[in-house]
Amino acid sequence: MHTVAVLALDGVIPFDLSAPIDAFGWARLPDGREAYRVRVCSPYPSGEVSAGAFTVRAPYGLEALAEADTIILPGVREPPERLPDGVTEALRAAAENGTRIASICVGAFLFAATGLLDGLRATTHWIAARDLAERYPRITVDANVLYVDNGRFLTSAGAAAALDMCLHMIRKDHGSAVAAQAARMSVMPLEREGGQAQFIVHDLPPAPSGATLEPVLRWMEEHCDRDLTLDEIAAHAGMSTRTLNRRFREQAGTTPLQWLHRARVRRAQYLLETTAHPVERIAAQTGFGSPTAFRERFRRVVGTSPQGYRRAFRSGVGAGAGVAG
């Protein structure tokens, strides 16, 4: 079982601590087994860690880092320039052994203090980005994204971006179905603005509970392979195109056609992950006019080509059967 160690230091931000515990703890394999073993550890002999309004007791020490497949570094209220005794050494040793390490919010300061992020791109909460860049000039700080994945080293922005990053890691480890279930348990939205495409696929796009658009969103999702026009969508919704646009802005935060493009890309992501269909066939199945239009839109939304995405997230179904990118 994949072991996740969450390292809690004094002053740990409660949300940063709980987000990965819940996200990885909710993940279940197709047969119902837990996908991860989560351990909370601290560098203090007592195991006690202050967390603002309360104190927590971590049951594991730094030795848990050596046994972990993934280490999470939550943020702390006042990030120190020097980490507690033994922490830097334990993190660097884990990195040398190939352990994946990820920071949450201002946990990037803890990560940076180890020197492991030198020469890499990283992110943190936007309000702390300038401070991180000034304190650690060898790091390229990008405050315009939700998270940065450098392969084994990841950093996320503040608060809910931690869940985005955790779900991204779950998906890389176990595929979209496991990640989507964890996302539903987290009640996470399907798509978030933030400069980086998100990879989690839900069954349906998000809409507020009881939203008047919910039926038309479901219909659009089911018919995204068709060449739907704004007039056709408005007619199905029983409203004018002007009213339709206004409702989409209010309830979905985008336009009907932009939402449709995103729905098509989500469908394409699923097909790329779970089938061996050539890109030409997937383009037709998802309502794009041509493979070229599909590739361009996919790259614009996801940040990589369909073939690159398939290599990264392929579930292994029908491997080698006529893949074209």
Side-chain angles (χ1 to χ4, degrees):
M1 184 183 294
H2 189 119
T3 299
V4 177
V6 183
L7 178 61
L9 303 185
D10 266 332
V12 66
I13 298 171
F15 183 89
D16 291 6
L17 178 63
S18 62
I21 294 173
D22 282 345
F24 289 108
W26 281 324
R28 293 291 183 273
L29 299 176
D31 62 5
R33 289 181 296 119
E34 295 181 350
Y36 298 92
R37 176 192 299 111
V38 182
R39 293 174 171 173
V40 179
C41 55
S42 84
Y44 314 114
S46 68
E48 289 192 354
V49 178
S50 63
F54 55 91
T55 299
V56 298
R57 184 186 297 275
Y60 296 93
L62 291 179
E63 70 281 354
L65 302 186
E67 302 171 357
D69 301 290
T70 295
I71 297 172
I72 306 293
L73 304 176
V76 297
R77 294 295 178 187
E78 298 291 337
E81 294 191 12
R82 185 177 181 278
L83 299 179
D85 291 345
V87 171
T88 295
E89 294 78 5
L91 291 173
R92 292 189 68 87
E96 289 178 4
N97 287 331
T99 302
R100 181 172 62 187
I101 303 176
S103 64
I104 294 173
C105 193
V106 292
F109 286 81
L110 310 179
F111 206 167
T114 67
L116 292 170
L117 292 180
D118 288 356
L120 298 177
R121 179 168 161 261
T123 193
T124 186
H125 194 292
W126 62 267
I127 203 170
R130 177 175 295 181
D131 187 19
L132 181 66
E134 290 176 351
R135 191 184 299 188
Y136 300 101
R138 294 183 180 179
I139 299 173
T140 301
V141 179
D142 186 348
N144 298 314
V145 295
L146 296 177
Y147 59 84
V148 174
D149 183 350
N150 288 299
R152 288 192 299 112
F153 299 156
L154 299 89
T155 53
S156 74
L163 290 172
D164 290 298
M165 181 182 68
C166 290
L167 293 171
H168 170 71
M169 288 190 283
I170 293 170
R171 187 168 192 172
K172 290 186 73 173
D173 293 341
H174 297 293
S176 62
V178 174
Q181 176 61 24
R184 284 190 288 271
M185 294 297 295
S186 303
V187 196
M188 283 291 291
L190 177 59
E191 295 176 359
R192 286 158 43 85
E193 300 297 328
Q196 176 162 329
Q198 297 304 293
F199 294 118
I200 297 305
V201 176
H202 292 216
D203 290 339
L204 289 172
S209 179
T212 57
L213 281 181
E214 187 173 354
V216 74
L217 292 178
R218 185 182 298 274
W219 178 80
M220 290 171 66
E221 180 83 7
E222 293 172 351
H223 297 85
C224 68
D225 58 323
R226 292 172 47 187
D227 185 20
L228 297 176
T229 65
L230 184 60
D231 288 338
E232 188 174 359
I233 297 169
H236 181 84
M239 59 184 74
S240 68
T241 56
R242 182 175 180 179
T243 300
L244 181 72
N245 276 313
R246 186 177 70 251
R247 295 283 174 82
F248 260 83
R249 286 293 186 188
E250 292 171 351
Q251 298 182 20
T254 187
T255 68
L257 294 182
Q258 287 173 336
W259 191 97
L260 179 62
H261 286 316
R262 296 272 181 167
R264 287 170 171 163
V265 169
R266 287 192 297 272
R267 176 74 63 81
Q269 287 176 300
Y270 176 78
L271 293 172
L272 287 166
E273 294 172 12
T274 60
T275 75
H277 297 169
V279 166
E280 292 76 10
R281 180 175 175 183
I282 292 176
Q285 290 175 305
T286 52
F288 289 95
S290 68
T292 299
F294 167 52
R295 289 186 178 95
E296 291 176 354
R297 176 67 64 172
F298 192 91
R299 182 178 290 276
R300 190 182 311 164
V301 173
V302 181
T304 187
S305 67
Q307 186 177 16
Y309 182 88
R310 173 172 261 159
R311 283 196 299 267
F313 293 103
R314 183 71 177 275
S315 66
V317 177
V323 176

